[in-house]
Structure formats: structure tokens, C-alpha cells
Amino acid sequence: MSLVSLGGVALAFLVSASVSTFAMANILIALPFVFMMVFGGFLVNLNSMLSWLSWLKWISIFSYGLNVRYNAFL
């Protein structure tokens, strides 16, 4: 979970360092985090997704933490 948190912070730092205003950084960081939550398995069952969208789970930081949590209890 620490690595997932570190990955999220690194993405937020990257976006905030690349724009000049705080408002634009808030908008630009919200979009990738929403998509990562959707395709990470929190909001949508990954098995019920369309097959041509299934590759998006691999770019989600949250999916790696979710998979580690589920695999640790098996």
C-alpha cells in the first residue's frame, strides 16, 4: 500500500510541477485519478468491462494495490 500511495503522490507532483496555476493542477490531477479508480476495480467489476477497454486496468495505480490486498488473503 505504501508503493501505491507513493505512485499516486508522484503522479500528483508531476502534474502540479508541469502547470503554473493551482486551479489547473486540481483539474488535471482529478481526471487521471477518476479514470484510475474506475479501471482499477473499485467502481466497476473488471470482469464485466468491455474487452477493448480491459487493457486500461494495467495503467491504474489502484489496481495493483487492490490485487495485492486480495492475493495476500488467499
Side-chain angles (χ1 to χ4, degrees), residues 21-60:
T21 61
F22 181 73
M24 186 59 84
N26 274 338
I27 293 170
L28 290 179
I29 199 59
L31 294 173
F33 275 109
V34 167
F35 282 114
M36 283 192 289
M37 282 193 296
V38 168
F39 294 111
F42 285 123
L43 302 176
V44 175
N45 185 5
L46 295 177
N47 295 327
S48 67
M49 269 196 310
L50 298 173
S51 61
W52 58 276
L53 286 175
S54 64
W55 65 272
L56 288 169
K57 67 182 175 184
W58 299 111
I59 62 169
S60 174

